[in-house]
Amino acid sequence: MQTSSFESLGLMPACLEALRYEGYDHPTPIQVESIPSLIAGRDLLGCAQTGTGKTAAFALPTIQRLTLTPVKRQPHKARALVVAPTRELAIQIDVSFGAYGRKTEIKRACVYGGVGKVPQVRAMERGVDVLVATPGRLLDLIGEGAIDLSAVEIVVFDEADRMLDMGFIHDVRRIIALLPPKRQTLLFSATMPAEIDSLARSLLDNPV
Ligand code: AMP
């Protein structure tokens, strides 16, 4: 790989500072491949497993794009949505956004099933920049009017093959139907079964 510094990927100073704080010296291959294109607003299909650094690969450009185009937060709305199959992964992604966005004003919420809804509803009352969610609870809170996807600019589907295995594919399709057509879309999957391939084809616009 030619490029081996975060600076050369086009990341803004606040992100570089957060990476120094994390102690990351060099980008991983998926970060080198994806960060410049994501900063430029391209869609992305990522074939990657956990442990490759994929969370930073999508979180850093998302934080940067949201920070560089400030928009007033709106009640119940999020500018970026990350959909993940499990509560554990959702929490991990939310914590990563907190770490990589520590030098920015990014406001976050994380919603998942198996716990009370009230704190999650409250967290969405004034709107956020980044919402990380599991599919079932997300649809549940949309149905209750606590979450509105009409302002989403960037959407990430993480571990799409696991969502398929866990029976979330219909929920995922329902979520997609609620998103604005003009958006940046990222899909990550460790494997590419036919159903994920067809989802990717219908979802992504000329992806990297
Ligand atoms: P992920 O694949 O996103 O689950 O990340 C796997 C682990 O690698 C996490 O613990 C990250 O904190 C860490 N990590 C991500 N990118 C880098 C990097 N460029 N240098 C060192 N560690 C990293």
Side-chain angles (χ1 to χ4, degrees):
M1 206 61 61
Q2 297 290 311
T3 314
S4 61
S5 78
F6 283 110
E7 284 80 0
S8 64
L9 301 180
L11 287 168
M12 63 181 186
C15 285
L16 296 173
E17 234 182 290
L19 290 167
R20 274 195 293 277
Y21 192 95
E22 290 300 304
Y24 297 179
D25 293 325
H26 299 287
T28 66
I30 193 169
Q31 291 163 0
V32 172
E33 291 293 325
S34 58
I35 287 174
S37 303
L38 291 176
I39 288 173
R42 293 280 302 272
D43 281 3
L44 181 125
L45 178 59
C47 224
Q49 283 161 341
T50 297
T52 52
K54 72 177 155 71
T55 313
F58 66 76
L60 291 162
T62 299
I63 290 165
Q64 176 153 332
R65 284 175 61 83
L66 297 183
T67 301
L68 296 182
T69 57
V71 171
K72 198 167 171 288
R73 289 185 195 110
Q74 301 176 70
H76 312 295
K77 297 187 183 181
R79 297 182 64 197
L81 170 68
V82 183
V83 183
T86 65
R87 171 199 341 205
E88 291 70 25
L89 183 61
I91 292 170
Q92 199 182 308
I93 294 167
D94 177 54
V95 168
S96 296
F97 268 96
Y100 304 140
R102 69 172 70 249
K103 299 291 177 186
T104 70
E105 302 292 316
I106 291 288
K107 192 176 170 210
R108 299 139 37 217
C110 187
V111 308
Y112 43 81
V115 297
K117 289 180 198 170
V118 175
Q120 300 178 357
V121 169
R122 207 165 282 151
M124 286 305 296
E125 256 163 19
R126 288 159 187 247
V128 296
D129 298 301
V130 178
L131 172 63
V132 184
T134 54
R137 178 59 62 96
L138 176 62
L139 285 167
D140 202 357
L141 293 178
I142 291 169
E144 291 184 9
I147 294 177
D148 175 341
L149 300 186
S150 66
V152 171
E153 300 163 45
I154 303 171
V155 63
V156 182
F157 295 96
D158 198 12
E159 304 205 354
D161 50 353
R162 261 174 94 195
M163 292 205 259
L164 180 69
D165 291 344
M166 293 171 73
F168 287 141
I169 198 76
H170 296 294
D171 284 352
V172 167
R173 290 197 183 273
R174 283 175 62 203
I175 292 163
I176 291 164
L178 297 170
L179 293 168
K182 192 178 168 295
R183 58 166 197 259
Q184 183 179 24
T185 307
L186 287 61
L187 189 140
F188 289 90
S189 198
T191 60
M192 270 308 145
E195 198 150 4
I196 297 299
D197 188 62
S198 93
L199 181 72
R201 281 170 202 277
S202 66
L203 200 60
L204 304 171
D205 177 18
N206 186 25
V208 176

